[in-house]
Structures are given as structure tokens and as C-alpha cells.
């Protein structure tokens, strides 16, 4: 307690000393002047206070206006940024619209072409439908399918008659005894053809002449010249018969014949060969000019390969005619047997029934 009292008394003393220092001593002669100055200062202070009070609302209003202006300026800046973003978006959208417009134009042109194509196709289809209806009406009429059937039967009968004439000119008969091997043993390129054995025993003869493939596969000093001549003559008869049968049936044979009796040739328009790069232009020229190679249906000297290939091509012609009437070949060794089978099928009653 005593310490606190001492401290407060010391503070009072110091405060009193300061008040004494702040006290200004004025002489009486200057009192009026000082009083006037104080009065003037008081009036100025009062006026300043009034002005302050007057300006304070304005200042506060101005501050509010500035704050509002700043706020609006910020909002305008945000709006400007949004506007710029939307402007960029509009530009991108415009570019995309132009690209889309171009794509739409291209697709429209393509669609127009397709529509025109569909219209042309529809017109063609309509014409084809009309023709089909007309054909159906014609088939259903008196000159339709029934008439076609009658004409086909007449044609088949006429073919039978013509084939019977060929059979009369070149009769094919089977003689009892073991059949001769007519397999084409070798062909150009070293390939071999294996045929089926004949069903019946015995050899087929044409105009009494047999055909043996033996001289055409291996020629030797001991080969019978008469047998070679008979085989060549038989092949000439077969070639002539085939050249007559093919037009009667209306079939263009694949390998044309140049008839000459026992010196007959057969033509191959696509001979087998191993082309070299330098020969490609030559082969192209041959195919464009439709050139061919002729092979003899007889032995020409000691070369048996060409003659064997010629017999193979002749048998392929007979096989083509067999396929035309719906039958298969008896095999590559059966030249005379295939021809006999062809004539037998055409002369059978089933040939007209199945027309």
C-alpha cells in the first residue's frame, strides 16, 4: 500500500510540472491582442468544424460512389472477359458451321448423285419388270413354253437323225478280246494322265480300224508301220466325226481341227510353255492376235510327244460334247469309247425325254 501511494504522488508531481511548463504567461498589455487571436482561431476552428461536418456526408457519398464505381468497373471487366470468351466461342462455332456446311454440301452432292443413280436403276428395273411380265405372258401363251418344248423335241429328234447318219458313216463296234491300253502316257512338261479302265473287255473299232496308243507313247525301230498308219487313219475318222457332231449339237469345240484324213491336225490356242521375262511380250502378242499351235494326229518322224498331246486334245473335244449332253468322260485313254458313248446317249430315247 505504501509503495502504490508513493508512485501516485510522484506521478502527480510530474503532471504538475508539465502543466507548469505548458502554462504561458501573457502580459496584460498583450492580453487583448491574444484574446482576439484566440477568438479568431476559435471562429476558424468552428468554421472548419462546420465545413468538416458539411463535407463529411459528401465525402462519404463520394466514397460510396467510388466504391460503387469500382464494383461496377470490376463487373464490367468480368462482363468484358465473358464477352471475349463468348466472342471466341462464336468464332469457333462459325468456323465449325462453315466446315459442317461444306460437308453437308459434299454429302448433298453425293446424295444427289445416288438419288439420280437410284432413279436410273428404278427406271431400268421397271423396264426389266415389264419385259419379264411380257416374257411370262409369252411363255403362258400358245407360243410359250409348250411351243418351246415341242420345238426342242423336234430339234433333239433332228439331232438324233444327223448323229445316226454320222454313226452310219463311221460305225463304232466292240470286238471281243482284251482292250488295248489307250492311256496318254506322257505329255509336254513330263506330266502323266491316269484314266479309268474300260468297263467292258474288248477293243472299239471305227470302220473296222483299231486305235492303239502304244506307238504314240514309245516309238522304236520295231514299231509296226501298218499299225501306226491304221491308228492315224482311225484318228482321222474320229476327228471328222467330231467335226460333224459338234455343229449338229451347236457346241463350238475348244480345240479346232484341220481335217486331212490320216494327216489331220488339231489346234491349241493356249499351248503350254515356260515363259521367260524376255518372252512375255511375245506371249502377249500371240494372245492378242489369237495365234495357235497345230499338233499332228499322226506320228511325224520320231517325235511322239506332239502326237500324244494331239490325241489328248481330241479326247478333250469329245469330253466337251459329253459334258454338253450331261455325261462325264470315261477317261483320257478312251478316245473311241468316249465317242461311242456320246453317240449312244444321243440316240437313246432319254435324250428326247430330258430335253
Amino acid at each position: 500500500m505504501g509503495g502504490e501511494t508513493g508512485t501516485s504522488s510522484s506521478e502527480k508531481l510530474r503532471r504538475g510540472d508539465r502543466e507548469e511548463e505548458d502554462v504561458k504567461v501573457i502580459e496584460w498589455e498583450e492580453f487583448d491582442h491574444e484574446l482576439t487571436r484566440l477568438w479568431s482561431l476559435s471562429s476558424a476552428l468552428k468554421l472548419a468544424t462546420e465545413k468538416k461536418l458539411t463535407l463529411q456526408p459528401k465525402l462519404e457519398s463520394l466514397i460510396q460512389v467510388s466504391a460503387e464505381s469500382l464494383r461496377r468497373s470490376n463487373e464490367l471487366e468480368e462482363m468484358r472477359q465473358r464477352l471475349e470468351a463468348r466472342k471466341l466461342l462464336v468464332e469457333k462455332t462459325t468456323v465449325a458451321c462453315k466446315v459442317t456446311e461444306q460437308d453437308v454440301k459434299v454429302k448433298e452432292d453425293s446424295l444427289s448423285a445416288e438419288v439420280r443413280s437410284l432413279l436410273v436403276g428404278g427406271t431400268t428395273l421397271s423396264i426389266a419388270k415389264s419385259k419379264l411380265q411380257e416374257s411370262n405372258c409369252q411363255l403362258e401363251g400358245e407360243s410359250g413354253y409348250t411351243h418351246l418344248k415341242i420345238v426342242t423335241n423336234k430339234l433333239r429328234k433332228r439331232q438324233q437323225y444327223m448323229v445316226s447318219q454320222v454313226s452310219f458313216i463311221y460305225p463304232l463296234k466292240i470286238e471281243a478280246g482284251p482292250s488295248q491300253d489307250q492311256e496318254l502316257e506322257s505329255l509336254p512338261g513330263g506330266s502323266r494322265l491316269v484314266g479309268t479302265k474300260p468297263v467292258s473287255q474288248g477293243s472299239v473299232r471305227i470302220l473296222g480300224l483299231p486305235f492303239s496308243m502304244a506307238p504314240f507313247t514309245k516309238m522304236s525301230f520295231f514299231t509296226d508301220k501298218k499299225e501306226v498308219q491304221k491308228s492315224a487313219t482311225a484318228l482321222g475318222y474320229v476327228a471328222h466325226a467330231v467335226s460333224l457332231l459338234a455343229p449338229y449339237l451347236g457346241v463350238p469345240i475348244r480345240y479346232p481341227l484341220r481335217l486331212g484324213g490320216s494327216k489331220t491336225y488339231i489346234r491349241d490356242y493356249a499351248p503350254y510353255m515356260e515363259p521367260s521375262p524376255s518372252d512375255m511380250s511375245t506371249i502377249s502378242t500371240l494372245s492378242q492376235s489369237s495365234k495357235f499351235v497345230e499338233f499332228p494326229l499322226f506320228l511325224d518322224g520320231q517325235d511322239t510327244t506332239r502326237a500324244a498331246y494331239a490325241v489328248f486334245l481330241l479326247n478333250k473335244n469329245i469330253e466337251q460334247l459329253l459334258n454338253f449332253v450331261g455325261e462325264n468322260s470315261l477317261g483320257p485313254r478312251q478316245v473311241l469309247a468316249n465317242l461311242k458313248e456320246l453317240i449312244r446317249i444321243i440316240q437313246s430315247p432319254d435324250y428326247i425325254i430330258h430335253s
Side-chain angles (χ1 to χ4, degrees):
M1 292 292 291
E4 292 179 358
T5 306
T7 302
S8 60
S9 60
S10 61
E11 289 178 355
K12 289 180 180 180
L13 288 175
R14 283 196 297 272
R15 193 182 298 114
D17 293 338
R18 283 197 300 271
E19 289 177 357
E20 288 179 358
E21 290 176 358
D22 293 336
V23 173
K24 184 179 181 180
V25 178
I26 302 174
E27 297 295 332
W28 179 257
E29 289 81 6
E30 296 178 358
F31 179 74
D32 289 335
H33 178 71
E34 191 68 24
L35 184 62
T36 303
R37 189 177 68 80
L38 291 174
W39 180 259
S40 176
L41 289 174
S42 177
S43 298
L45 180 60
K46 184 177 180 181
L47 183 59
T49 303
E50 290 178 355
K51 287 184 178 181
K52 178 182 176 182
L53 294 174
T54 303
L55 292 174
Q56 186 174 1
K58 295 181 179 180
L59 183 60
E60 291 177 355
S61 176
L62 183 60
I63 291 172
Q64 291 179 355
V65 169
S66 297
E68 184 69 19
S69 176
L70 181 61
R71 184 180 64 81
R72 291 189 177 182
S73 177
N74 292 335
E75 290 180 354
L76 288 174
E77 182 65 21
E78 292 179 359
M79 293 177 66
R80 188 185 66 79
Q81 292 177 357
R82 292 178 183 175
L83 183 62
E84 289 294 333
R86 291 192 177 184
K87 188 176 180 181
L88 291 175
L89 181 61
V90 168
E91 290 178 355
K92 291 181 180 179
T93 306
T94 303
V95 174
C97 287
K98 289 182 179 179
V99 173
T100 305
E101 184 179 357
Q102 292 177 355
D103 292 341
V104 168
K105 187 175 180 181
V106 172
K107 290 182 179 180
E108 184 179 358
D109 295 339
S110 177
L111 185 61
S112 299
E114 291 179 359
V115 168
R116 288 193 296 269
S117 177
L118 285 175
L119 290 175
V120 173
T123 304
T124 306
L125 182 61
S126 178
I127 295 173
K129 185 177 180 181
S130 300
K131 290 183 178 179
L132 179 60
Q133 290 177 351
E134 292 177 0
S135 300
N136 289 334
C137 292
Q138 292 177 359
L139 286 175
E140 293 173 358
E142 295 180 355
S143 60
Y145 180 75
T146 304
H147 179 69
L148 178 63
K149 189 75 172 178
I150 295 173
V151 172
T152 303
N153 288 338
K154 289 181 179 180
L155 177 62
R156 289 294 180 94
K157 290 179 180 180
R158 184 62 180 176
Q159 288 175 344
Q160 281 188 334
Y161 173 75
M162 300 301 293
V163 170
S164 67
Q165 297 300 308
V166 175
S167 178
F168 178 77
I169 298 173
Y170 297 111
L172 291 158
K173 296 181 181 181
I174 299 177
E175 288 192 1
S179 61
Q180 295 180 353
D181 188 5
Q182 298 179 11
E183 182 178 3
L184 303 183
E185 294 289 345
S186 60
L187 291 175
S191 62
R192 292 182 176 271
L193 294 176
V194 179
T196 58
K197 295 292 182 181
V199 177
S200 60
Q201 294 295 323
S203 61
V204 181
R205 294 172 177 257
I206 181 168
L207 266 179
L209 294 177
F211 169 70
S212 175
M213 196 64 203
F216 291 84
T217 57
K218 187 177 181 180
M219 188 71 175
S220 67
F221 179 77
F222 300 100
T223 302
D224 188 357
K225 304 300 182 183
K226 292 183 178 180
E227 183 182 356
V228 172
Q229 184 61 35
K230 289 180 180 180
S231 296
T233 304
L235 287 176
Y237 292 161
V238 173
H240 189 208
V242 170
S243 66
L244 292 175
L245 293 174
Y248 295 162
L249 299 177
V251 179
I253 54 177
R254 189 174 292 110
Y255 304 104
L257 295 158
R258 182 163 68 87
L259 301 175
S262 60
K263 298 293 183 179
T264 298
Y265 289 85
I266 190 167
R267 296 173 179 176
D268 185 7
Y269 284 86
Y272 176 82
M273 62 181 65
E274 290 290 344
S276 61
S278 60
D279 295 335
M280 291 303 294
S281 59
T282 306
I283 296 174
S284 177
T285 305
L286 286 175
S287 62
Q288 290 177 1
S289 60
S290 298
K291 289 190 176 181
F292 53 85
V293 177
E294 287 189 339
F295 295 92
L297 283 166
F298 56 92
L299 286 176
D300 187 9
Q302 297 294 323
D303 185 10
T304 61
T305 304
R306 290 172 56 84
Y309 187 67
V311 177
F312 169 74
L313 296 181
L314 178 62
N315 193 65
K316 294 301 288 185
N317 281 341
I318 302 174
E319 181 181 353
Q320 181 184 358
L321 298 178
L322 281 169
N323 294 336
F324 176 76
V325 297
E327 293 294 331
N328 296 322
S329 171
L330 298 177
R333 67 176 65 181
Q334 305 298 323
V335 178
L336 296 180
N338 281 333
L339 181 60
K340 182 174 179 59
E341 180 68 10
L342 174 65
I343 294 175
R344 184 195 67 78
I345 292 171
I346 297 175
Q347 290 182 329
S348 66
D350 293 339
Y351 183 73
I352 298 177
I353 297 174
H354 297 154
S355 61

